Coordinates of all heavy atoms in Angstrom, one line a residue:
G33 N -1.6 -77.5 42.0 CA -0.5 -77.4 42.8 C 0.3 -78.7 42.9 O 1.5 -78.7 43.1
N95 N 13.1 -82.8 38.1 CA 12.0 -82.0 38.8 C 12.7 -81.2 39.8 O 13.9 -81.2 39.9 CB 11.0 -83.0 39.4 CG 11.6 -84.1 40.2 OD1 12.7 -83.9 40.7 ND2 10.9 -85.2 40.3
S96 N 11.9 -80.4 40.6 CA 12.5 -79.5 41.6 C 13.3 -80.4 42.6 O 14.4 -79.9 43.1 CB 11.4 -78.8 42.4 OG 10.5 -78.2 41.5
T97 N 12.8 -81.5 43.0 CA 13.4 -82.4 43.9 C 14.8 -82.7 43.5 O 15.8 -82.6 44.3 CB 12.6 -83.7 44.1 OG1 11.3 -83.3 44.5 CG2 13.2 -84.6 45.2
H136 N 8.5 -77.3 51.6 CA 8.1 -78.6 51.1 C 9.2 -79.6 51.5 O 10.4 -79.2 51.5 CB 7.9 -78.5 49.6 CG 7.4 -79.8 48.9 ND1 8.1 -80.9 48.7 CD2 6.2 -80.0 48.4 CE1 7.4 -81.8 48.1 NE2 6.2 -81.3 47.9
A138 N 10.8 -81.5 49.8 CA 11.8 -81.5 48.8 C 12.9 -80.5 49.1 O 14.0 -80.6 48.6 CB 11.2 -81.2 47.4
T184 N 11.5 -71.2 50.1 CA 10.5 -71.2 49.0 C 9.9 -69.8 48.7 O 9.8 -69.0 49.6 CB 9.3 -72.1 49.4 OG1 8.5 -72.3 48.3 CG2 8.4 -71.6 50.5
N188 N 3.5 -74.1 49.2 CA 2.5 -75.0 48.5 C 1.3 -75.3 49.4 O 0.3 -75.7 48.9 CB 3.2 -76.3 48.1 CG 3.6 -77.1 49.3 OD1 4.3 -76.6 50.2 ND2 3.2 -78.4 49.4
D213 N 13.2 -72.0 46.1 CA 12.3 -73.1 45.5 C 11.2 -72.4 44.8 O 10.3 -71.8 45.5 CB 11.8 -73.9 46.7 CG 10.9 -75.0 46.2 OD1 10.5 -75.0 45.1 OD2 10.5 -75.8 47.1
A215 N 9.0 -73.9 42.8 CA 8.1 -74.9 42.3 C 6.6 -74.4 42.2 O 5.9 -74.7 41.3 CB 8.1 -76.2 43.1
Q216 N 6.3 -73.5 43.2 CA 4.9 -73.0 43.2 C 4.9 -71.5 42.8 O 3.8 -70.9 42.9 CB 4.3 -73.1 44.6 CG 4.2 -74.6 45.1 CD 3.1 -75.3 44.4 OE1 2.3 -74.8 43.6 NE2 3.1 -76.7 44.5
S236 N 9.6 -77.3 38.6 CA 9.3 -78.5 37.9 C 8.4 -78.2 36.7 O 7.5 -77.4 36.8 CB 8.4 -79.4 38.9 OG 9.2 -79.7 40.0
H238 N 6.2 -80.1 35.3 CA 4.8 -80.6 35.4 C 3.8 -79.7 36.1 O 2.6 -79.9 36.1 CB 4.8 -82.1 36.0 CG 5.1 -82.1 37.4 ND1 4.1 -82.1 38.4 CD2 6.3 -82.1 38.1 CE1 4.7 -82.1 39.6 NE2 6.0 -82.2 39.5
K239 N 4.4 -78.8 36.9 CA 3.5 -77.9 37.6 C 3.2 -76.6 36.8 O 2.4 -75.7 37.3 CB 4.1 -77.5 39.0 CG 4.2 -78.6 40.0 CD 4.6 -78.2 41.3 CE 5.1 -79.3 42.2 NZ 4.0 -80.1 42.7
Ligands
LIG501 N1 8.7 -77.4 46.3 C1 7.4 -77.1 46.4 C2 7.0 -75.8 47.0 C3 6.4 -78.0 45.9 O1 5.1 -77.6 46.0 C4 6.8 -79.2 45.3 C5 5.8 -80.2 44.9 O2 4.7 -80.1 45.2 C6 8.2 -79.5 45.3 C7 9.1 -78.6 45.7 C8 8.7 -80.7 44.6 O3 8.3 -80.8 43.3 P1 8.6 -82.1 42.5 O4 7.8 -83.2 43.2 O5 8.1 -81.8 41.1 O6 10.1 -82.3 42.5

Side-chain angles (χ1 to χ4, degrees):
N95 48 29
S96 307
T97 304
H136 187 281
T184 190
N188 67 308
D213 178 352
Q216 297 291 346
S236 301
H238 70 94
K239 291 186 197 289

